Amino acid sequence: MLQSCSQTIPKMATSSKPTCTLLLLLTLSILALFTILPLHQHRHPAVSRSPQDPLFYQDTFLSSATNYTFSTYLRHLTLHSHLAGTPPSLQTALYVKTHFQNLNLATHQNDYAVLLSYPMHSSLTAHFGNGTVVSLPLSEPGVTQNGVVRPYHAYSPSGSAYGEVVFVNYGKEEDYRALREQGVKVKGCIAIVRRGGGMSRNDVVVKAAEKGVAAVLMYTEGDSFREGVERGTVMGGLGDPLSPGWAGVENGERLGVEEDQVIQRFPKIPSMPISAERAETILSSLEGARVPSQWLGTLKTKVQRVGPGPTMLNFTYQGEKKMATIHNIFAVIRGSEEPDRFVLLGNHRDAWTYGAVDPNSGTAALLDIARRFALLMRLGWNPRRTIILCSWDAEEFGMVGSAEWVEQNLLNLGSKAVAYLNVDCAVQGPGFFARATPQLDNLLIDVTKKVRDPDSEDATLHDKWRATNNGIKIQRLSGVDSDFAPFLQHAGVPSTDMYYGRDFTVYHTAFDSYNWMTNFGDPLFQRHVAVTGVWGLLALHLADDPILPFNYLCYAAELQEYTNILSNLLEGNVSLDPIIAAIQELTAAAKKVEEEAKRLRQQETVGELLLLKRRILNDKLMFAEKGFLDSEGLEGKEWFKHLVYGPHSGSESKLAFFPGVVDHIFPSIRMNKIKQQAAIQHEIWRVARAIQRVAYTLKGELT
């Protein structure tokens, strides 16, 4: 039974120790065996299928997987660290482009000039209470720094700070409140923050600046690879900061770096990542108030006191923001019957370091999908709708490559995009996870029944998924942690995202390498095969099914669940009746659409009238998601237009739906009770109108 989950899963981190050469040789020998023996995903009954039968191409797609091809692709992609805007990053772009071209796929490149950020100098010195002064290394030990960018936060302002250390947990409002209740003052201090708690890096630094903190050091907890340092961006929002809302094309309009609209995208105080080991060295020296009891349940770091001091830190970071050219690469398989309908598969290519997990496990999967689709084309396959394979650049800086492309193609995507299927970190470890907009739930579940589970004998991915989670749990897409965000939250395109493995501690560190993948993440590359099987089958169904496999009854049920949760949180004279009524209207419209789809699927005689009816129905199914968009966007985050799935304002809530409503239930700034309730009611009406727009679209009639 499908169990929806209201929280998205952030990318996080684990890790382990390198293995010996003997094990690596054994692994490669086994991989070589798979070169000769293709890995069959799922043993279908012995049925003779016609090349005209869609199941023939689905079976062929699954059975043509080989583990060795993934190993080969990933090895090439991770030979060098390839940060966006650098020469090695261009080389990976050319590798992907050449691969598409060698498969005789129509290939093109789309470049943008954007503002990126790079480190120039950083230092950290600790002055301990006993008089000892220690210069703390900031890079990972044992890592050749040739080509590997030193740990930094992209878009952090340059600056220096000298002050007492204070530990602020996740850096949430409730954490500062807990410190304040214990009499701890943070103004002028250098704050150490552990990553997590639903707070983005930008949220953390912005909140710290509001509290008077002078600078921020962030670390990621983990039992292994404690020397790893998690790089990342602290920019607010998505896309090039110099072209907010439009694409950074050559000779196009750009804002000045010093304009207010640009400056407000960056934090006001400097920040820098450090390793868990460095953080613990500092935190274990603190005195002052004890760690609040409410932090202890999740705290892994050995820290007893929060400070401030007596340890003092001398912190310096100097970086530069400069224009750089980024490169998006595309392969297009033109549809035979509906070439103006696009099914998009996307993965970003740039990495903070080597990027074996993040993102090139996904890039390897994209390359193998291209290889297998090219094979199907040689066997006579031509999709009904156009398929576009998208390799994005500069995702790590804030989904820059995909956001610029979405902004440039907004009208075409709004009128022609069927769905966007995203894979970022394809393989992080064991366990399958998926996120989707709800109308794609049933398709996603059905596809996993056809793919063999990589970690079980004689079981499908669906069997293992259901058993592991005590029922299927599909996450949602409110986060802004990968390239689905511009497509769904700005353009209203139905979307999915999937990956193997929930946590990996080499995340954004110099240890995210090919060796880590072959030793720990997926030694035989069988999880790569499984994710690619699901990804490719989703695309085949969306590109070839005569009637799009969307089910808006699932969406209505999910919206009703969100409403039930909200009903337990609301106080005073706030009413959910507008949303309840709108959901009822959507449910009725969705039922009629399902009945119409069933009738059309049962019609065997194909003529112009049936083709027209299918087209009309598919248009309703495809355009309905756009109804959730609001032209005004979310308050304070106007670029994000989706009223059901989008980022909240770093509030104390973990709810991952109706962001406008949630932001006013848990406001970041205290409001008059009457004004707060009025603001909540207004957001409820906005959501209700959005749901009604979806219902009207499914009805296909003017009211």
Side-chain angles (χ1 to χ4, degrees):
M1 181 177 180
L2 174 63
Q3 297 179 5
S4 302
C5 180
S6 63
Q7 290 185 343
T8 58
I9 302 177
K11 294 191 278 187
M12 296 184 64
T14 61
S15 93
S16 306
K17 302 176 182 177
T19 63
C20 63
T21 303
L22 180 61
L23 179 57
L24 180 59
L25 290 174
L26 177 61
T27 300
L28 292 175
S29 299
I30 296 173
L31 291 175
L33 176 63
F34 280 104
T35 309
I36 304 169
L37 301 174
L39 180 78
H40 289 265
Q41 284 286 299
H42 184 63
R43 295 179 180 175
H44 296 282
V47 177
S48 176
R49 300 200 190 281
S50 163
Q52 284 73 43
D53 185 346
L55 291 178
F56 168 81
Y57 295 115
Q58 294 173 22
D59 291 347
T60 302
F61 176 84
L62 291 175
S63 63
S64 60
T66 67
N67 308 54
Y68 181 74
T69 55
F70 291 98
S71 171
T72 301
Y73 298 147
L74 190 64
R75 185 62 180 153
H76 279 286
L77 289 162
T78 58
L79 287 174
H80 305 284
S81 180
H82 47 284
L83 185 64
T86 66
S89 185
L90 175 58
Q91 292 304 310
T92 62
L94 295 177
Y95 176 73
V96 170
K97 185 177 182 180
T98 300
H99 177 79
F100 289 160
Q101 291 172 332
N102 289 342
L103 293 171
N104 294 318
L105 300 178
T107 305
H108 67 275
Q109 178 175 326
N110 203 330
D111 295 346
Y112 298 101
V114 299
L115 186 72
L116 299 185
S117 167
Y118 304 97
M120 297 175 66
H121 170 76
S122 57
S123 64
L124 183 65
T125 303
H127 299 252
F128 295 106
N130 61 5
T132 304
V133 179
V134 179
S135 178
L136 299 175
L138 296 175
S139 296
E140 293 98 340
V143 174
T144 302
Q145 294 303 307
N146 183 27
V148 177
V149 70
R150 72 188 67 176
Y152 79 113
H153 282 159
Y155 302 107
S156 168
S158 298
S160 297
Y162 179 74
E164 291 182 304
V165 182
V166 64
F167 179 51
V168 299
N169 198 33
Y170 293 125
K172 303 169 71 171
E173 180 65 36
E174 63 190 64
D175 294 326
Y176 286 104
R177 187 184 308 125
L179 292 175
R180 189 167 58 250
E181 289 171 354
Q182 295 189 186
V184 177
K185 297 180 180 180
V186 301
K187 187 174 182 180
C189 293
I190 295 178
I192 294 186
V193 183
R194 60 169 171 153
R195 290 278 290 123
M199 296 285 283
S200 71
R201 298 179 194 87
N202 175 265
D203 290 336
V204 168
V205 185
V206 169
K207 178 65 68 176
E210 291 174 358
K211 301 302 180 181
V213 169
V216 173
L217 299 176
M218 291 187 203
Y219 74 97
T220 303
E221 291 182 308
D223 296 328
S224 53
F225 269 125
R226 297 180 64 250
E227 305 93 343
V229 185
E230 181 189 312
R231 297 150 180 83
T233 182
V234 290
M235 180 178 71
L238 302 185
D240 177 25
L242 302 187
S243 57
W246 65 90
V249 297
E250 185 177 358
N251 299 321
E253 179 187 8
R254 285 183 178 81
L255 302 179
V257 178
E258 300 302 324
E259 292 192 39
D260 289 343
Q261 194 173 354
V262 176
I263 292 175
Q264 68 183 11
R265 297 279 296 274
F266 312 135
K268 293 181 172 59
I269 60 174
S271 66
M272 190 163 55
I274 60 174
S275 68
E277 187 174 59
R278 298 285 171 262
E280 193 162 294
T281 297
I282 300 169
L283 294 175
S284 62
S285 70
L286 296 184
E287 298 177 6
R290 288 192 173 276
V291 172
S293 59
Q294 57 265 43
W295 299 0
L296 297 176
T298 59
L299 187 62
K300 298 178 182 178
T301 310
K302 297 176 182 178
V303 52
Q304 302 295 321
R305 307 276 180 169
V306 298
T311 301
M312 308 282 287
L313 290 180
N314 192 345
F315 165 101
T316 297
Y317 171 74
Q318 184 177 0
E320 61 174 344
K321 301 179 182 73
K322 64 179 184 180
M323 298 302 295
T325 301
I326 61 172
H327 318 279
N328 293 336
I329 308 296
F330 303 91
V332 180
I333 304 173
R334 186 173 175 80
S336 59
E337 297 180 33
E338 298 181 72
D340 62 333
R341 294 293 180 259
F342 307 139
V343 177
L344 304 112
L345 290 76
N347 157 267
H348 80 92
R349 189 185 59 252
D350 66 296
W352 288 112
T353 62
Y354 299 103
V357 174
D358 184 9
N360 297 131
S361 59
T363 311
L366 188 71
L367 296 181
D368 203 61
I369 283 180
R371 177 187 68 83
R372 287 194 253 173
F373 281 179
L375 170 62
L376 298 188
M377 293 171 71
R378 292 196 296 273
L379 296 175
W381 171 73
N382 210 7
R384 177 187 302 270
R385 304 177 187 94
T386 295
I387 293 176
I388 305 176
L389 307 180
C390 313
S391 177
W392 309 116
D393 202 355
E395 184 269 0
E396 297 293 6
F397 287 82
M399 276 56 77
V400 178
S402 58
E404 297 306 296
W405 191 78
V406 167
E407 289 171 344
Q408 187 176 9
N409 295 279
L410 190 59
L411 289 181
N412 271 326
L413 289 171
S415 60
K416 299 177 182 179
V418 172
Y420 174 70
L421 313 177
N422 188 70
V423 169
D424 191 327
C425 305
V427 179
Q428 308 173 55
F432 180 72
F433 296 88
R435 302 185 276 185
T437 45
Q439 74 273 56
L440 290 165
D441 284 357
N442 288 352
L443 173 62
L444 180 58
I445 291 169
D446 288 344
V447 161
T448 62
K449 296 176 182 178
K450 303 174 184 177
V451 176
R452 187 176 70 83
D453 183 74
D455 301 308
S456 306
E457 289 291 335
D458 300 322
T460 65
L461 192 157
H462 175 268
D463 296 334
K464 184 66 175 291
W465 190 16
R466 181 179 57 188
T468 302
N469 296 290
N470 193 27
I472 297 296
K473 291 182 174 67
I474 297 177
Q475 312 295 318
R476 299 306 172 202
L477 295 164
S478 281
V480 289
D481 53 337
S482 195
D483 290 299
F484 60 78
F487 285 89
L488 174 63
Q489 297 167 10
H490 188 68
V493 178
S495 300
T496 66
D497 182 54
M498 68 198 79
Y499 48 97
Y500 248 89
R502 184 168 183 169
D503 303 326
F504 71 111
T505 52
V506 295
Y507 174 62
H508 287 189
T509 75
F511 302 121
D512 183 7
S513 66
Y514 180 83
N515 286 341
W516 188 89
M517 181 63 74
T518 56
N519 291 332
F520 306 110
D522 194 14
L524 299 181
F525 289 87
Q526 54 202 20
R527 293 167 185 156
H528 283 75
V529 172
V531 170
T532 309
V534 177
W535 200 10
L537 285 185
L538 285 174
L540 289 175
H541 278 285
L542 290 167
D544 283 336
D545 286 7
I547 297 174
L548 292 175
F550 290 174
N551 188 325
Y552 278 90
L553 286 172
C554 294
Y555 223 132
E558 190 80 349
L559 294 172
Q560 185 60 58
E561 183 174 336
Y562 300 158
T563 306
N564 294 341
I565 294 172
L566 281 186
S567 67
N568 296 320
L569 299 174
L570 296 177
E571 300 175 351
N573 297 320
V574 179
S575 172
L576 285 168
D577 288 348
I579 291 182
I580 293 171
I583 292 173
Q584 291 173 346
E585 194 169 357
L586 173 59
T587 301
K591 285 180 180 178
K592 289 184 178 180
V593 163
E594 282 298 295
E595 293 168 358
E596 182 183 359
K598 183 178 180 180
R599 287 195 302 270
L600 295 181
R601 289 189 181 103
Q602 291 173 342
Q603 293 188 27
E604 297 180 357
T605 303
V606 179
E608 289 187 5
L609 181 58
L610 178 58
L611 293 176
L612 178 60
K613 288 181 178 179
R614 287 176 178 172
R615 175 79 172 195
I616 293 172
L617 175 58
N618 284 336
D619 282 353
K620 291 190 290 186
L621 292 168
M622 188 177 74
F623 295 144
E625 185 75 42
K626 313 292 185 295
F628 291 119
L629 302 181
D630 187 285
S631 60
E632 295 181 2
L634 300 177
E635 184 177 333
K637 305 177 290 293
E638 288 75 17
W639 191 88
F640 297 94
K641 308 294 184 184
H642 207 287
L643 297 188
V644 178
Y645 299 118
H648 60 65
S649 296
S651 70
E652 299 174 27
S653 170
K654 294 182 179 180
L655 301 181
F657 56 83
F658 300 163
V661 177
V662 170
D663 277 349
H664 285 88
I665 294 176
F666 303 96
S668 56
I669 300 175
R670 293 194 178 277
M671 301 174 61
N672 173 280
K673 199 70 175 179
I674 296 176
K675 290 183 178 179
Q676 180 185 2
Q677 291 184 357
I680 294 171
Q681 191 66 65
H682 174 64
E683 291 296 330
I684 287 172
W685 275 110
R686 284 220 296 163
V687 171
R689 289 191 288 270
I691 297 171
Q692 279 185 322
R693 288 193 293 269
V694 177
Y696 296 158
T697 303
L698 292 178
K699 291 177 183 178
E701 300 174 354
L702 298 176
T703 58

